[in-house]
């Protein structure tokens, strides 16, 4: 069916309300009509994510309803007896509306729903699925995307995001629905009376908060000195405000200063158009507050509170936002070294990172004889490994992180968790403060010991149907006609995750990659530098990750500038 035919189908459907049809009739730009209808909003391993609005390629009550009907069919097909789904939502526009819509569809299909009374972080939903023994979970969020976006993330009964096999089966159920007439719905008040809809809140929060606090490593240190730590925190208009402050308060951190202008939930993100803690601009107000407070640490969490960004003073006294890699290696080192000192480090411990995350973590873990595992980009794959360890007892999960500001300790959550991250960061800063060191000092010590690793991410925004086609063509060109060197340094290994092949270029040998297939390419050079190219799973972007190792900060900066320039010349040529 062409985009025009789908557009007309929506306009003529008796199941589409008049307000939605009016929104569609007002569109004058043919390109916009095409973009709204050239495809169904794609259901992938992260569920749905898209711009809010009318159309098959937008997030709205109809696309949410259809996705939920597909999920309901999948659950009823695969499970018998009583079945429940837990649902949470964040501060984004229409999040509550979409959560209610999903609940009404599930209840109409005989599946009971545990719906949070108000907004909650994504990791709380992950915890809730397992805690309440649900068969699946849904959280309405678009994480750190701009205000025009929202999303629909689906979790399996093990509390991790659905991975490839389950996502495909759910997609098959969605695709089998001929039109919106197949989507069932039930009045929520009727669902409550029928005991299909259960409103949840503090009864779950309390258990989650206690488990987070139990992850404290140096309990005596925190108990004695937490009150001395000066903290500035911004929830960036999101869902982290209450749980983060509650955990810190209950642990004894009395000096927590919250950025008032960013404290209240607001889906329009008035002070941060791109509410992403990796963007220095979101900390502008916090830095103004810092002039008076003079904090030991500043940190912020994104709208659904699964990512954390940290700001510290560097050696020149200037505030600097740490990268996700820097935060991750600091926490990796702190957790492993602390457990070793306390004689609690398990011999079969493992750290998990993604293929685009800093290799510095591996260097640190190796120093303690701790294994490091690589997984594909996406925390769902880390959650999958935690489940595997639970079944096989082969390893003890210690810590996992992504370069994109997400991390997780503990196993009662199966997704990145900025509530846990905030608690561990405060403990880590407190530990170094008691040793007379700042967090920047601690990072410098690690660089001096393990090498100056520097990572860079470049995102090429390629909107619409044409953009998606350009991304696919560029990856295919790189796959089939990649140069043998970059900036005068030979490529030693090439990883093609779509074909599941790892090639040793210098030796002329190859191995199978034992990871799920994904349209991602990685190239490692003789000097240890590397780059990865992949399409974003949540935004209309092609992402290029680059990494170098230097002998000093100056050397790393110089190498990075030259390497990045050479890599982007190759990428831009492939995009023509």
């Amino acid at each position: 069916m062409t985009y025009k035919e789908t557009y007309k189908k929506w306009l003529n459907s008796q199941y589409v309300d008049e307000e939605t049809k009016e929104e569609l009739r007002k569109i004058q730009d043919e390109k916009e009509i095409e973009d709204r209808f050239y495809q169904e909003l794609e259901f992938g391993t992260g569920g749905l994510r898209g711009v809010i609005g009318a159309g098959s390629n937008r997030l709205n009550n109809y696309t949410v309803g259809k996705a939920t009907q597909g999920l309901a069919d999948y659950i009823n097909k695969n499970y018998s007896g009583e079945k429940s789904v837990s649902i949470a939502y964040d501060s984004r526009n229409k999040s509550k509306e979409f959560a209610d819509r999903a609940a009404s569809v599930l209840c109409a299909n005989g599946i009971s729903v545990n719906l949070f009374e108000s907004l909650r972080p994504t990791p709380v939903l992950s915890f809730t699925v397992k805690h309440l023994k649900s068969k699946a979970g849904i959280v309405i969020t678009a994480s750190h995307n701009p205000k025009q976006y929202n999303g629909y993330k689906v979790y399996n009964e093990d509390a991790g995001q659905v991975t490839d096999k389950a996502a495909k089966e759910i997609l098959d159920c969605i695709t089998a629905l001929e039109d919106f007439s197949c989507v069932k719905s039930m009045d929520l008040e009727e669902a409550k009376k029928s005991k299909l809809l259960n409103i949840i809140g503090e009864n779950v929060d309390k258990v989650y908060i206690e488990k987070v606090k139990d992850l404290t490593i140096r309990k005596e240190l925190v108990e004695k000195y937490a009150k001395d730590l000066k903290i500035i925190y911004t929830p960036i208009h999101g869902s982290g405000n209450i749980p983060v402050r509650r955990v810190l308060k209950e642990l004894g951190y009395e000096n927590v200063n919250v950025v008032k202008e960013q404290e209240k939930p607001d889906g329009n993100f008035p002070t941060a158009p791109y509410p992403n803690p990796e963007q220095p601009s979101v900390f502008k107000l916090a830095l103004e507050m810092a002039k008076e407070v003079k904090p030991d640490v500043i940190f912020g969490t994104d709208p659904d509170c699964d990512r954390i960004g940290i700001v510290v003073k560097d050696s020149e006294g200037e505030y600097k936002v740490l990268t996700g890699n820097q935060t991750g290696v600091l926490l990796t080192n702190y957790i492993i070294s602390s457990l070793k000192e306390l004689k609690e480090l398990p011999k079969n411990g493992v750290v998990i990172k993604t293929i685009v995350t800093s290799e510095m973590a591996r260097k640190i873990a190796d120093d303690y004889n701790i294994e490091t595992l690589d997984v594909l980009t996406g925390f769902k794959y880390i959650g999958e490994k935690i489940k595997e360890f639970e079944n096989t007892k082969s390893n003890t999960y210690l810590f996992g992180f992504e370069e994109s500001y997400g991390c997780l300790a503990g196993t009662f959550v199966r997704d990145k968790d900025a509530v846990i991250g905030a608690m561990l960061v405060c403990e880590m800063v407190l530990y170094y403060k008691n040793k007379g060191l700042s967090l920047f000092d601690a990072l410098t010590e690690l660089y001096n010991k393990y090498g100056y690793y520097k990572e860079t991410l470049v995102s090429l925004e390629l909107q619409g149907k044409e953009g998606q086609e350009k991304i696919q063509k560029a990856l295919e060109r790189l796959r089939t006609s990649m140069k043998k060197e970059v900036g005068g340094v030979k490529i030693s290994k090439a990883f093609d995750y779509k074909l599941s092949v790892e090639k040793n270029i210098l030796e002329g040998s190859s191995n199978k990659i034992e990871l799920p297939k994904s349209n991602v390419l990685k190239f490692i050079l003789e000097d240890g530098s590397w780059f990865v190219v992949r399409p974003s799973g949540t935004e209309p972007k092609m992402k290029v990750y680059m990494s170098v190792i230097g002998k000093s900060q100056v050397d790393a900066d110089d190498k990075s500038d030259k390497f990045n320039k050479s890599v982007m010349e190759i990428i831009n040529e492939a995009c023509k």
Side-chain angles (χ1 to χ4, degrees):
M1 191 178 292
T2 67
Y3 76 87
K4 283 189 175 180
E5 288 171 331
T6 308
Y7 170 64
K8 287 177 181 175
K9 188 176 180 181
W10 275 58
L11 287 177
N12 296 326
S13 173
Q14 62 177 307
Y15 300 100
V16 176
D17 66 84
E18 194 56 37
E19 187 180 341
T20 301
K21 289 178 182 178
E22 190 57 31
E23 179 185 336
L24 293 173
R25 290 190 196 104
K26 286 179 179 177
I27 302 170
Q28 301 297 315
D29 184 359
E30 190 67 23
K31 276 285 182 189
E32 185 179 346
I33 294 174
E34 180 185 29
D35 187 53
R36 286 180 182 236
F37 289 98
Y38 81 91
Q39 65 173 10
E40 295 271 328
L41 190 61
E42 190 175 349
F43 186 95
T45 54
L48 302 170
R49 189 176 300 188
V51 173
I52 301 166
S56 60
N57 191 33
R58 292 288 187 270
L59 203 75
N60 49 64
N61 273 332
Y62 300 100
T63 52
V64 166
K66 190 175 179 182
T68 308
Q69 183 62 54
L71 176 62
D73 291 344
Y74 167 82
I75 292 170
N76 282 328
K77 179 181 175 184
N78 286 279
Y79 299 99
S80 57
E82 290 186 10
K83 303 171 280 280
S84 73
V85 173
S86 294
I87 301 178
Y89 57 93
D90 70 2
S91 61
R92 287 185 173 270
N93 295 327
K94 291 191 175 289
S95 280
K96 176 71 167 70
E97 185 179 331
F98 294 154
D100 286 350
R101 174 65 171 151
S104 74
V105 174
L106 289 164
C107 292
N109 282 274
I111 300 168
S112 65
V113 170
N114 306 306
L115 177 64
F116 272 101
E117 62 193 355
S118 57
L119 75 168
R120 291 296 190 282
T122 288
V124 173
L125 182 279
S126 172
F127 165 74
T128 304
V129 170
K130 205 162 175 60
H131 178 60
L132 296 182
K133 298 181 173 61
S134 294
K135 298 305 181 189
I138 299 168
V139 61
I140 307 296
T141 177
S143 190
H144 57 288
N145 283 47
K147 67 178 181 180
Q148 61 266 36
Y149 285 84
N150 210 330
Y152 176 103
K153 290 168 74 173
V154 180
Y155 289 74
N156 59 34
E157 64 180 323
D158 297 317
Q161 286 185 54
V162 290
T163 46
D164 305 333
K165 182 176 180 292
K168 186 184 181 303
E169 290 178 13
I170 295 168
L171 176 60
D172 289 343
C173 290
I174 297 170
T175 306
L177 301 170
E178 291 183 7
D179 54 38
F180 298 133
S181 66
C182 302
V183 180
K184 299 176 184 177
S185 187
M186 186 177 194
D187 178 76
L188 292 185
E189 288 304 316
E190 185 60 38
K192 285 179 187 174
K193 289 176 186 175
S194 304
K195 297 191 177 177
L196 281 166
L197 178 60
N198 311 299
I199 303 301
I200 57 173
E202 175 61 19
N203 56 325
V204 175
D205 295 338
K206 188 175 181 181
V207 183
Y208 168 78
I209 295 294
E210 287 303 315
K211 284 185 172 289
V212 173
K213 292 191 301 182
D214 283 345
L215 291 174
T216 303
I217 302 171
R218 297 180 181 272
K219 292 180 170 60
E220 288 183 12
L221 173 82
V222 172
E223 193 174 321
K224 193 172 181 181
Y225 297 109
K227 65 183 184 300
D228 300 329
L229 198 70
K230 289 184 181 179
I231 300 162
I232 290 180
Y233 167 54
T234 172
I236 318 177
H237 304 292
S239 60
N241 184 40
I242 292 173
V244 168
R245 291 170 71 179
R246 179 174 175 178
V247 165
L248 296 181
K249 183 180 180 181
E250 291 185 15
L251 284 171
Y253 293 96
E254 300 172 4
N255 204 341
V256 180
N257 303 272
V258 179
V259 179
K260 292 296 177 189
E261 298 91 334
Q262 297 177 322
E263 180 181 6
K264 295 287 168 63
D266 189 334
N268 291 316
F269 309 113
T271 68
Y274 189 33
N276 188 342
E278 56 189 292
Q279 295 290 325
S281 58
V282 304
F283 292 105
K284 184 180 177 183
L285 293 166
L287 292 174
E288 284 295 317
M289 183 185 281
K291 293 174 184 176
E292 184 179 335
V293 174
K294 295 181 172 48
D296 296 300
V297 66
I298 301 169
F299 63 86
T301 55
D302 69 341
D304 69 325
C305 198
D306 65 353
R307 300 170 195 248
I308 183 168
I310 306 170
V311 184
V312 297
K313 267 189 179 178
D314 65 16
S315 55
E316 305 296 320
E318 297 293 322
Y319 282 106
K320 175 183 176 183
V321 180
L322 295 183
T323 68
N325 281 311
Q326 289 171 328
T327 299
V329 298
L330 277 164
L331 284 168
T332 297
N333 180 74
Y334 176 72
I335 291 167
I336 295 175
S337 63
S338 296
L339 290 174
K340 184 176 183 183
E341 185 185 323
L342 297 169
K343 296 182 171 51
E344 295 174 8
L345 186 63
K347 289 182 179 178
N348 67 344
V350 65
V351 171
I352 308 178
K353 68 179 192 66
T354 72
I355 59 172
V356 299
T357 301
S358 178
E359 283 295 305
M360 189 173 176
R362 191 186 310 278
K363 199 86 179 285
I364 293 168
D366 285 349
D367 211 14
Y368 292 90
N369 294 315
I370 291 296
E371 185 182 357
T372 303
L373 289 179
D374 278 347
V375 294
L376 290 177
T377 309
F379 224 90
K380 54 187 170 284
Y381 297 113
I382 295 177
E384 198 173 43
K385 281 292 179 185
I386 294 173
K387 171 63 178 174
E388 180 186 313
F389 299 156
E390 189 176 76
N391 290 336
T392 64
K393 314 295 183 190
S394 59
N395 292 91
T396 300
Y397 174 80
L398 297 177
F399 186 62
F401 76 102
E402 295 180 309
E403 97 314 321
S404 55
Y405 289 66
C407 64
L408 177 68
T411 60
F412 56 89
V413 171
R414 299 288 166 87
D415 205 347
K416 48 192 179 287
D417 188 334
V419 182
I420 293 172
M423 186 272 290
L424 286 174
V425 164
C426 288
E427 180 184 331
M428 176 171 64
V429 173
L430 185 63
Y431 169 76
Y432 286 118
K433 181 180 181 179
N434 272 36
K435 290 171 69 79
L437 298 170
S438 70
L439 207 54
F440 188 82
D441 294 332
L443 181 62
T444 302
E445 282 189 356
L446 292 179
Y447 281 145
N448 288 333
K449 185 174 183 180
Y450 297 108
Y452 281 75
Y453 288 71
K454 183 171 183 179
E455 295 82 21
T456 310
L457 167 62
V458 174
S459 294
L460 301 175
E461 192 158 332
L462 298 160
Q463 294 278 359
K465 183 182 178 185
E466 291 173 1
Q468 291 301 308
E469 290 171 351
K470 189 173 279 191
I471 289 171
Q472 298 307 317
K473 285 178 183 176
L475 279 157
E476 204 53 43
R477 283 173 186 156
L478 292 168
R479 176 172 283 113
T480 56
S481 56
M482 181 62 198
K483 296 178 180 180
K484 293 185 177 180
E485 59 178 44
V486 179
V489 182
K490 288 182 180 178
I491 294 174
S492 60
K493 289 184 178 180
F495 297 76
D496 189 327
Y497 294 93
K498 183 179 180 180
L499 302 180
S500 300
V501 175
E502 172 195 341
K503 290 183 180 177
N504 189 315
I505 309 296
L506 302 180
E507 294 178 4
S509 59
S510 62
N511 292 306
K512 186 181 179 187
I513 297 172
E514 299 295 339
L515 290 174
K517 292 182 185 295
S518 185
N519 194 11
V520 181
L521 299 170
K522 182 172 186 175
F523 301 94
I524 301 176
L525 279 62
E526 279 188 306
D527 63 357
S529 56
W530 55 263
F531 72 98
V532 172
V533 188
R534 60 177 282 267
S536 169
T538 57
E539 298 172 279
K541 293 178 179 179
M542 182 164 76
K543 295 192 170 186
V544 186
Y545 305 80
M546 296 164 280
S547 175
V548 300
I549 312 166
K551 295 175 182 176
S552 66
Q553 190 64 64
V554 172
D555 183 40
D557 289 342
D558 183 54
K559 278 187 174 178
S560 183
D561 288 343
K562 291 175 181 174
F563 181 63
N564 295 356
K565 184 180 178 184
S566 298
V567 170
M568 291 314 298
E569 283 175 359
I570 294 168
I571 301 301
N572 290 328
E573 182 65 30
C575 286
K576 285 183 179 177

